[in-house]
Amino acid sequence: EAGVVQSPRYKIIEKKQPVAFWCNPISGHNTLYWYLQNLGQGPELLIRYENEEAVDDSQLPKDRFSAERLKGVDSTLKIQPAELGDSAVYLCASSGTSGRADTQYFGPGTRLTVL
Amino acid sequence: GEDVEQSLFLSVREGDSSVINCTYTDSSSTYLYWYKQEPGAGLQLLTYIFSNMDMKQDQRLTVLLNKKDKHLSLRIADTQTGDSAIYFCAETPPGGKLIFGQGTELSVKP
């Protein structure tokens, strides 16, 4: 069974440019998460989807970050415009049970560098 | 509040046991998790323990949970160089998200 797929793996952009990350969760997993991992830190939740509904986006900086999961499967996370402080690893995870923190499986992440 | 703390570094010799410690704050966490992260990779689920258990063993891994002190530990028996990585513990407060510690970097010397 394929794991969580993310692309691109690496992205280098200049500040003020837009950037988008894509995630395909494990087949059949209804819940999808986007986490931000700064260097030397543990991941922090940005947004959680149950099917196509964003049920927790309290930590998402909505002035520049947006996310969507239109058909309840793939998801895209966008930053516009990117700032230097957005350089980090963006991790996607999925789990099979909604409503509680069931076992989450992570993708390899997208490492963003903003110059 | 939600906070998970871990020591930042641990160095052991190959063949020794490693013990990585973690303290958490949310007593309502249903599960507590251990994840492993190798350089440039995502997080790999190692093991987890249900909050009503005090010990779980899985091959070379032993998880101990002291719910009274909110203390979690991961013991790796016969540590190998391939175990070198960053290990994260995570609690699960109500609401469906994981709260991670900063991670413990395990260095295994031959």
Side-chain angles (χ1 to χ4, degrees):
Chain A
E1 180 184 276
V4 176
V5 179
Q6 290 188 247
S7 70
R9 291 294 316 277
Y10 304 92
K11 189 74 176 179
I12 302 174
I13 60 171
E14 294 192 345
K15 63 181 179 182
K16 301 185 182 179
Q17 294 301 304
V19 65
F21 315 125
W22 175 81
C23 173
N24 181 250
I26 292 172
S27 179
H29 278 191
N30 297 329
T31 309
L32 183 146
Y33 313 77
W34 283 103
Y35 286 86
L36 166 69
Q37 186 177 23
N38 286 306
L39 187 65
Q41 302 292 320
E44 297 177 352
L45 182 72
L46 287 172
I47 189 168
R48 175 169 68 97
Y49 281 93
E50 290 182 13
N51 299 303
E52 63 273 12
E53 183 182 356
V55 296
D56 183 358
D57 63 355
S58 56
Q59 301 302 311
L60 189 73
K62 298 182 184 65
D63 57 337
R64 297 183 301 107
F65 286 65
S66 64
E68 60 183 17
R69 194 185 184 200
L70 292 175
K71 295 183 180 179
V73 180
D74 295 3
S75 178
T76 303
L77 178 69
K78 297 178 182 177
I79 308 175
Q80 182 170 9
E83 297 179 352
L84 295 176
D86 296 331
S87 295
V89 176
Y90 292 82
L91 293 164
C92 180
S94 69
S95 67
T97 303
S98 62
R100 63 180 176 89
D102 198 11
T103 304
Q104 297 181 28
Y105 297 90
F106 284 80
T110 297
R111 182 176 297 275
L112 174 67
T113 302
V114 182
L115 303 177
Chain B
E2 304 162 345
D3 194 19
V4 178
E5 293 191 358
Q6 302 177 236
S7 53
L8 295 182
F9 300 101
L10 176 65
S11 180
V12 301
R13 291 236 173 250
E14 193 173 20
D16 288 350
S17 291
S18 307
V19 179
I20 302 171
N21 294 302
C22 169
T23 57
Y24 62 97
T25 55
D26 195 312
S27 58
S28 64
S29 290
T30 308
Y31 292 92
L32 294 137
Y33 291 85
W34 285 102
Y35 284 86
K36 175 183 179 182
Q37 188 174 38
E38 297 184 48
L43 274 69
Q44 172 195 348
L45 177 66
L46 277 182
T47 188
Y48 61 89
I49 188 166
F50 189 51
S51 58
N52 70 352
M53 298 169 65
D54 48 26
M55 187 182 88
K56 180 180 180 182
Q57 188 151 3
D58 184 0
Q59 299 182 338
R60 292 191 297 123
L61 305 179
T62 303
V63 179
L64 296 177
L65 175 60
N66 180 330
K67 208 173 173 185
K68 173 176 168 291
D69 294 338
K70 299 192 186 72
H71 183 266
L72 183 72
S73 69
L74 174 70
R75 178 178 180 269
I76 306 173
D78 186 24
T79 312
Q80 302 298 305
T81 54
D83 294 323
S84 293
I86 300 176
Y87 291 80
F88 292 94
C89 68
E91 62 176 358
T92 57
K97 67 180 178 182
L98 291 169
I99 305 295
F100 287 89
Q102 280 186 290
T104 299
E105 183 175 348
L106 175 64
S107 173
V108 182
K109 300 187 186 316

